C-alpha cells in the first residue's frame, strides 16, 4: 500500500540525498556541499513525514536542525565517541549494565530518522554485530542468569524499526524470565514516524504487560495530529507514555518553547520524564548549552506550572544519570529546616522529633 500512512512506505522513501531533500526545503548550493560533507561522516536519513514538518525557507527551523546534517558537525573538536562509557559497561555486545537492577538492551542500530544530536552517533545507521539476533540472545541469556535485573529497557537505535515478529520474539523470551518485572521501550517513532504505531503492533505489545514506552519529542512543532493518534493507540493498549527530551541550543533552550512542548505533551497524555543535558558527543557541540540553561528552565517551571509537566533535568554520566536542580533545602539540622519556595520566599519549618513525643511513643 503506497500511501503516506504506511510505515514501510515511509522507510523505503526516506530522504537520503539533496535532490529529494529539495522537494521539502530550499537548499543553497553552498549548503548542499556542506550537507554532503557532514553527511559522509555521520549517517543521515529523514522520513517523508518528518521532512513535511520542515519550514521550507527557515534554515533555523527546529525540525531541520534536528534532521539535516550541518557543517558544524565537522568543526567540533571537543566531544567524545562514547562519553558515557557504554562500551566498557557492556557484559555482552549491545547490553549496557550500569545500574544494579536494570539494563539497557540495544536491539537495533537503525532509526526512522537520524537525529543530529544522537548520543549513539558512534553506531546508529550502520549494520553492527551487536544487534544481530545472536547478540540479542546473548544479552537475554545474561539477563536470565542475573537475578538482580528486574527492569529491561529495550533501546537502539530504535527498537520499533524491527518487525512485529522480531519484537514479539524478544518480548516472549524476556517474559519467560521470572525476575524480569517490567519491560520498557525507548523509541522515537511516535515523533519521527508515527505511522509505525499500528493497531497490530499495539495488539501484540498488549500481550506482554507490564510495558512502558518512553518517546523523544523535542519541539512543539513535532506534536502533530498523527503523533497524537500514535500516542492514543499506545495508551489504548494500556501502555503508559513518558517523554525524554534533549536540551538543544537554538531548538528548545528557551522557556516559551519548552513550556509549549511540555504542555502539549500533557494534552497528548505523555508525561515529561527526563530533560537531558546534551551529551558531549563528537559532532554535536553546536547543540550544547551551559548547565545554567537547564537549571534556569527548571526554576521557571517548577511551581509555575503543573507538576506533571516538569521533567527531571538529567546530566548523564558513566556513573549513571544524575538529576539536577537548584537547592530548595537551604539549611537542615536536628530541629529545623530552612526551605525556599519556587518564588524565592524562604521559610523555616520544624523537622526534629520532640523529646516529649519520643518518650510518649515508647
Ligand atoms: C537510562 C538508562 C537506564 C534507565 O534509567 P532510568 O533512570 O531508570 O530511566 C538503564 N540503563 C542504562 C544503561 C541507561 O542509560
Ligand atoms: S532516534 Fe534515538 S537513537 Fe535514533 S538517532 Fe535519534 S536519538 Fe539516536
Amino acid at each position: 500500500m503506497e500511501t503516506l500512512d504506511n510505515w514501510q512506505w515511509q522507510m523505503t522513501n526516506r530522504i537520503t540525498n539533496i535532490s529529494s531533500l529539495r522537494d521539502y526545503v530550499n537548499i543553497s548550493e553552498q549548503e548542499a556541499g556542506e550537507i554532503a560533507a557532514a553527511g559522509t561522516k555521520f549517517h543521515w536519513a529523514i522520513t517523508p513525514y518528518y521532512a513535511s514538518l520542515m519550514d521550507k525557507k527557515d534554515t533555523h527551523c527546529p525540525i531541520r536542525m534536528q534532521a539535516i546534517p550541518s557543517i558544524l558537525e565537522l568543526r567540533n573538536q571537543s566531544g567524545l565517541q562514547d562519553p558515557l562509557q557504554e562500551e566498557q559497561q557492556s557484559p555482552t555486545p549491545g547490553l549496557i549494565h550500569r545500574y544494579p537492577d536494570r539494563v539497557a538492551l540495544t536491539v537495533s542500530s537503525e532509526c526512522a530518522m537520524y537525529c543530529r544530536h544522537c548520543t549513539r552517533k558512534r553506531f546508529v545507521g550502520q549494520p553492527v554485530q551487536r544487534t544481530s539476533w545472536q547478540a540479542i540472545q546473548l544479552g537475554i541469556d545474561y539477563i536470565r542468569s542475573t537475578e538482580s535485573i528486574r527492569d529491561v529497557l529495550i533501546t537502539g537505535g530504535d527498537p520499533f524499526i524491527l518487525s512485529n515478529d522480531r519484537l514479539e520474539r524478544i518480548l516472549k523470551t524476556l517474559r519467560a524470565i521470572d525476575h524480569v518485572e517490567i519491560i520498557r521501550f525507548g523509541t522515537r517513532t511516535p515523533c519521527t514516524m508515527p505511522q509505525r504505531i499500528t493497531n497490530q503492533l499495539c495488539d501484540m505489545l498488549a500481550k506482554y504487560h507490564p510495558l512502558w514506552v518512553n518517546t523523544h519529542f523535542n519541539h512543539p512543532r513535532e506534536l502533530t495530529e498523527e503523533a497524537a493518534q500514535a500516542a492514543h493507540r499506545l495508551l489504548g493498549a494500556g501502555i503508559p507514555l513518558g517523554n525524554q527530551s534533549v536540551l538543544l541550543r537554538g531548538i528548545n533552550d528557551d522557556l516559551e518553547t519548552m513550556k509549549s512542548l511540555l504542555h502539549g505533551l500533557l494534552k497528548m497524555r505523555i508525561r515529561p520524564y527526563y530533560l537531558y543535558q546534551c551529551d558531549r558527543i563528537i559532532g554535536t557541540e553546536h547543540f550544547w548549552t551551559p548547565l545554567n540553561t537547564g537549571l534556569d528552565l527548571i526554576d521557571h517551571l517548577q511551581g509555575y506550572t503543573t507538576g506533571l509537566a516538569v521533567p527531571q533535568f538529567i546530566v548523564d554520566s558513566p556513573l549513571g544519570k544524575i538529576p539536577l536542580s537548584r537547592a530548595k533545602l537551604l539549611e537542615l539540622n536536628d530541629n529545623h529546616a530552612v526551605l525556599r519556595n519556587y518564588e524565592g520566599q524562604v521559610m523555616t519549618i520544624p523537622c526534629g522529633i520532640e523529646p516529649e513525643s519520643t518518650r510518649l511513643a515508647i
Side-chain angles (χ1 to χ4, degrees), residues 126-145:
Q126 303 161 37
V128 286
Q129 199 273 328
R130 76 184 73 202
T131 56
S132 66
W133 180 244
Q134 207 179 11
I136 294 170
Q137 278 183 312
L138 276 178
I140 297 178
D141 289 344
Y142 177 90
I143 294 167
R144 190 182 298 107
S145 60

Side-chain angles (χ1 to χ4, degrees), residues 239-258:
I239 303 171
L241 299 180
N243 187 66
Q244 317 199 77
S245 298
V246 183
L247 185 54
L248 299 167
R249 189 158 100 211
I251 293 180
N252 59 13
D253 62 340
D254 65 284
L255 184 61
E256 200 188 331
T257 305
M258 186 51 70

